[in-house]
Amino acid sequence: MTTLAPEPAPATKPPAARPQSRLASLLKARETGILLALVAFLAVTTAINPRFVFSTDGFRDLFLTPSILVVLAVGQAMVIITRNVDLSVGSILGLTAYLAGRLFLDTGLPILVVVLLAVLAGAVLGLVNGMLVAFARVPALVITLGTLYVYRGIYLQWAGSDRINASDIPDGLLSFGTSSLLGIPQLAIVSFVVLAVAAYWMRTSRGGRELYAIGSDPAAATLYGLKDKQRILTAFAASGALAGLAGILYVARYGTISSGVGFGIELEAVGAAVIGGVAIFGGSGTVVGAAIGAYLLTSIDRGLPILGIPDFWQRAVVGLLILGAIVLDKVLAERQHKKLLAERHRS
């Protein structure tokens, strides 16, 4: 009599690891700390002078003032994540703003066409940076410091002592720069859209994830076969395009364009990204954090005079924030490295 073999016991899945609480992850995020610092600063400043937020101009300026810097900081964050930096964005902003003004003054092209041309011009200038960095293998700090002066020199030679006035800009663009939708300035809404698109692309796309891989370890990314040159070109082109868009937003908000437009704003863009948690050593951070950093910087500029702090100390506070962010990044990186070594020894 043949005996049947017992049926094998159904395979059991190993118990799944308990997923980390989303709330815990959110509380540990660098962006949360920066956001809480921003909220605390706004609360203290508003307690001293309620009009800082609770007035028509105060609420509008809370969103309007950072809008241009947010757009620049988003592009800057994408570049810094690849372990590079773009110091030319201020010059690109000024050059594209003047380009837009001349197109309005000399050609009468529709607003949308001029906007697209300014963004395209910015992308081309950013692409030049990226090509020099990716193919010449020269540090981005050196390359973009050079193009900062080259682009600014072209701008100064072109503009000279001329100034484009608000009367030369179409009323539709000027009204866009001063109008609001549901109480939120339209320029701020543009910056929110840019932020949302960039954050989604960085988080979900292969290209966005590869920017982090390249910034974490460029040599390993190359050995793994990632298209490092293509991704670096993409990051710099995006930064330049957003600087071109920022030039249009500047025209929409201020109308008047002189040779000093964009001077020094590149350092604010870098500072916003670093303060917002984007590691200056590359490989970590988010564009959302960079945007929060931009809000914190502009709020400090607006709020410290209300607190009676002299201008010198306003600059010092920003500098201390940047130094603190860099030191914190270094400490966290070393702690993570030691943790990985300990786990390797245990295994």
Side-chain angles (χ1 to χ4, degrees), residues 314-332:
Q314 296 175 36
R315 302 295 91 197
V317 167
V318 173
L320 289 173
L321 285 174
I322 294 174
L323 290 175
I326 293 175
V327 171
L328 180 60
D329 284 332
K330 186 66 174 178
V331 170
L332 292 176

Side-chain angles (χ1 to χ4, degrees), residues 41-274:
F41 181 82
L42 293 177
V44 171
T45 309
T46 305
I48 295 174
N49 185 351
R51 291 182 58 82
F52 181 70
V53 172
F54 296 114
S55 67
T56 302
D57 291 339
F59 183 78
R60 182 199 63 180
D61 290 344
L62 178 65
F63 291 99
L64 180 60
T65 303
S67 56
I68 295 175
L69 185 57
V70 166
V71 173
L72 289 177
V74 167
Q76 192 68 245
M78 296 173 67
V79 172
I80 294 177
I81 285 170
T82 66
R83 200 178 287 194
N84 291 293
V85 68
D86 188 355
L87 297 180
S88 68
V89 291
S91 298
I92 295 176
L93 185 156
L95 189 54
T96 53
Y98 190 77
L99 169 65
R102 294 308 314 180
L103 289 174
F104 286 132
L105 185 61
D106 299 334
T107 67
L109 289 172
I111 294 175
L112 181 58
V113 174
V114 173
V115 170
L116 294 176
L117 288 175
V119 173
L120 178 61
V124 170
L125 295 175
L127 196 59
V128 171
N129 291 334
M131 292 176 66
L132 292 172
V133 172
F135 295 103
R137 296 294 184 180
V138 178
L141 178 66
V142 177
I143 291 294
T144 58
L145 181 62
T147 54
L148 178 156
Y149 288 108
V150 171
Y151 296 160
R152 179 64 61 176
I154 295 172
Y155 179 23
L156 293 176
Q157 180 64 31
W158 186 15
S161 59
D162 292 340
R163 185 176 70 174
I164 296 177
N165 298 311
S167 58
D168 302 319
I169 307 300
D171 293 336
L173 184 61
L174 294 177
S175 62
F176 180 83
T178 57
S179 59
S180 301
L181 180 64
L182 301 177
I184 305 297
Q186 296 200 65
L187 294 190
I189 295 175
V190 172
S191 70
F192 295 156
V193 172
V194 168
L195 175 61
V197 172
Y200 181 80
W201 183 79
M202 293 288 288
R203 184 176 180 85
T204 62
S205 72
R206 177 178 178 178
R209 294 191 299 270
E210 288 184 354
L211 294 185
Y212 287 98
I214 292 169
S216 297
D217 193 334
T222 302
L223 291 174
Y224 189 72
L226 299 185
K227 300 176 181 179
D228 55 336
K229 291 184 176 64
Q230 179 179 332
R231 300 309 180 200
I232 290 174
L233 289 174
T234 299
F236 275 100
S239 178
L242 291 178
L245 177 60
I248 289 292
L249 298 185
Y250 183 96
V251 175
R253 183 180 178 190
Y254 297 106
T256 302
I257 311 167
S258 63
S259 58
V261 172
F263 185 79
I265 198 172
E266 60 277 345
L267 298 181
E268 295 182 26
V270 174
V274 172

Side-chain angles (χ1 to χ4, degrees), residues 257-304:
I257 311 167
S258 63
S259 58
V261 172
F263 185 79
I265 198 172
E266 60 277 345
L267 298 181
E268 295 182 26
V270 174
V274 172
I275 290 172
V278 180
I280 197 67
F281 309 106
S284 66
T286 64
V287 293
V288 174
I292 298 174
Y295 269 84
L296 181 59
L297 281 185
T298 53
S299 297
I300 288 173
D301 286 339
R302 291 178 54 232
L304 289 185

Side-chain angles (χ1 to χ4, degrees), residues 2-36:
T2 304
T3 59
L4 297 177
E7 294 183 2
T12 57
K13 295 182 179 180
R18 183 179 180 181
Q20 188 179 23
S21 168
R22 290 187 177 183
L23 179 60
S25 300
L26 183 62
L27 292 176
K28 292 180 180 179
R30 283 282 301 278
E31 295 83 359
T32 302
I34 302 300
L35 181 60
L36 291 176

